[in-house]
Amino acid sequence: MPSALPDGEPVPADGALPASALAGAAHRPLGFYLHVPYCATRCGYCDFNTYTATELRGTGGVLASRDNYADTLVDEVRLARKVLGDDTREVRTVFVGGGTPTLLDAGDLVRMLGAVRDEFGLAPDAEITTEANPESVGPAYLAALREGGFNRISFGMQSARQHVLKILDRTHTPGRPEACVAEARAAGFDHVNLDLIYGTPGESDDDWRASLDAALGAGPDHVSAYALIVEEGTQLARRIRRGEVPMTDDDVHADRYLIAEETLAAAGYDWYEVSNWATSDAGRCLHNELYWRGADWWGAGPGAHSHVGGVRWWNVKHPGAYAGALAAGKSPGAGREVLTDEDRRVERILLELRLREGVPLSLLREAGLAAARRALSEGLLEEGPYGAGRAVLTLRGRLLADAVVRDLVD
């Protein structure tokens, strides 16, 4: 969740949605994203809406405190209940992200989840995920999460090499994420993900292979592998600009992606989204699939984004301003936009093309269909699905996904 917020029209003080947003809601899945904006330290590459204790000191008072954050977020879940009215849907997924959610007590995360359960109800097979920093959890903490209803956990591993972690300003020690996988399994977690980053300045092909091997050796059923994006305004961007570390080019990113696909596929992991692999359909992240398929989700927390029935809105960024709005009985929404049918068509192409199932060719206009035919002839789309009316990326197409989707949209 990047820290910059877009412009948009004002959100009503009570958060009310247009009637059009709730029309047909019963036929759409509903998920919740719960944002915890706190970190022990700021990673040099991170552009997310997160805050350390030092950054918050004197800027939000007691309202920005980590100690009462769960109570504040519960207030927004209750607001969601009022806004969605007589919506009878049970929640299909809950994802707690950050920041570092596990800086809060396990009981706080369980209480936040409990608010969603109490206000909306959870589907019997609901996917309940939290992100975790490997250094902020242990067996007792993980057991408390599992007992409280969490059944999926995602650990930030990034790399197995110390010098790579140092460039990223990651504080965990190599080997700790792998140990966390074993501890999560012992606590009864059904699904475990490890997040990796490739293309860090100073990382070699051998470093990347070592990270993949270490991750696979731990036995998660899901691996996410993301190319490092250097965001303006971050410490890493400033270091690159000063010439302290080199910028990694796109060719290196492509090579690392090919290494990831080869290694993960050989170990029994199938890609289901350009940056995500799982050992089975059950291991896929259902919550992220809600995003990619344009379903409904409510994002609670500072800077969190939501989408319901073609209306997208986002909360104020600062934890103090967020808590202050809720304490005053007002929506913390900073702005919103109502998507047109064309907006939603374009977004479906942008997001669904990244999925293993691809995007229906019926969504494409004439120019997009011509682009799809060219992509097929250039080996960027798979022939079988194309014949069945879907655009599905080949491995080469995945390397050029951004360019392919631009052509299909145009």
Side-chain angles (χ1 to χ4, degrees):
M1 189 180 65
S3 59
L5 295 180
D7 296 324
E9 65 182 43
V11 175
D14 61 0
L17 292 170
S20 61
L22 301 178
H27 303 292
R28 300 191 300 265
L30 174 64
F32 264 80
Y33 172 74
L34 311 179
H35 185 62
V36 178
Y38 306 108
C39 283
T41 59
R42 177 168 295 281
C43 297
Y45 65 93
C46 181
D47 186 43
F48 282 14
N49 188 43
T50 61
Y51 302 84
T52 65
T54 300
E55 290 169 333
L56 286 175
R57 189 172 296 132
T59 63
V62 68
L63 290 178
S65 170
R66 223 163 68 186
D67 296 335
N68 58 16
Y69 180 73
D71 294 330
T72 303
L73 190 134
V74 166
D75 286 342
E76 189 180 356
V77 174
R78 291 172 178 157
L79 172 68
R81 175 72 280 172
K82 293 177 183 177
V83 171
L84 297 180
D86 60 0
D87 189 327
T88 59
R89 287 177 291 177
E90 292 181 319
V91 172
R92 182 69 187 84
T93 67
V94 179
F95 193 105
V96 186
T100 306
T102 46
L103 283 181
L104 300 185
D105 289 341
D108 285 344
L109 300 188
V110 170
R111 187 148 48 90
M112 289 156 50
L113 172 60
V116 177
R117 180 189 295 110
D118 293 344
E119 296 294 335
F120 291 87
L122 298 174
D125 58 348
E127 175 191 88
I128 314 296
T129 306
T130 187
E131 295 178 336
N133 184 300
E135 299 291 353
S136 63
V137 297
Y141 191 104
L142 293 169
L145 289 180
R146 184 67 189 93
E147 184 178 352
F150 286 84
N151 53 30
R152 186 175 185 277
I153 192 162
S154 179
F155 294 108
M157 179 178 177
Q158 282 71 53
S159 176
R161 298 296 204 194
Q162 183 66 59
H163 71 94
V164 176
L165 293 172
K166 185 176 181 180
I167 291 291
L168 296 173
D169 293 318
R170 294 294 296 182
T171 57
H172 68 261
T173 54
R176 179 60 197 149
E178 300 94 301
C180 285
V181 175
E183 291 173 4
R185 295 293 192 201
F189 276 87
D190 302 319
H191 302 296
V192 182
N193 172 62
L194 287 177
D195 269 346
L196 297 172
I197 291 177
Y198 58 86
T200 300
E203 176 194 64
S204 67
D205 285 353
D206 285 344
D207 291 331
W208 178 230
R209 289 191 178 94
S211 295
L212 289 164
D213 290 344
L216 294 178
D221 64 335
H222 189 287
V223 173
S224 300
Y226 302 105
L228 177 67
I229 298 175
V230 180
E231 302 285 359
E232 279 302 316
T234 62
Q235 178 62 25
L236 182 57
R238 290 189 287 271
R239 294 186 66 191
I240 290 173
R241 190 164 54 248
R242 291 194 297 263
E244 297 175 11
V245 294
M247 182 68 178
T248 305
D249 63 33
D250 290 342
D251 289 340
V252 170
H253 282 168
D255 289 343
R256 300 280 159 76
Y257 186 88
L258 292 173
I259 291 171
E261 169 62 23
E262 179 183 15
T263 303
L264 291 165
Y269 292 74
D270 294 323
W271 80 281
Y272 71 96
E273 192 274 341
V274 169
S275 299
N276 291 274
W277 291 257
T279 56
S280 68
D281 286 347
R284 293 164 67 147
C285 181
L286 299 180
H287 185 82
N288 283 343
E289 289 194 276
L290 291 188
Y291 298 155
W292 298 322
R293 298 187 186 280
D296 289 353
W297 73 89
W298 188 292
H305 287 57
S306 303
H307 171 266
V308 174
V311 178
R312 181 187 293 118
W313 70 94
W314 44 93
N315 287 343
V316 293
K317 286 174 53 178
H318 195 277
Y322 168 77
L326 288 165
K330 298 179 180 179
S331 165
R336 76 179 186 187
E337 58 183 341
V338 179
L339 304 177
T340 66
D341 289 344
E342 177 64 7
D343 291 334
R344 299 180 78 174
R345 183 190 75 88
V346 169
E347 288 198 357
R348 280 195 65 187
I349 299 170
L350 290 172
L351 296 172
E352 291 183 28
L353 186 66
R354 296 181 61 86
L355 296 172
R356 183 66 184 86
E357 294 78 13
V359 65
L361 293 173
S362 59
L363 284 178
L364 307 184
R365 303 285 192 239
E366 184 176 345
L369 288 169
R373 290 192 291 271
R374 290 194 302 272
L376 179 68
S377 68
E378 294 169 2
L380 302 176
L381 297 179
E382 294 186 4
E383 293 185 3
Y386 186 90
R390 300 191 73 83
V392 173
L393 295 171
T394 62
L395 175 56
R396 181 165 177 263
R398 281 185 267 160
L399 295 175
L400 300 170
D402 290 345
V404 175
V405 78
R406 281 198 301 269
D407 289 343
L408 298 192
V409 167
D410 293 341

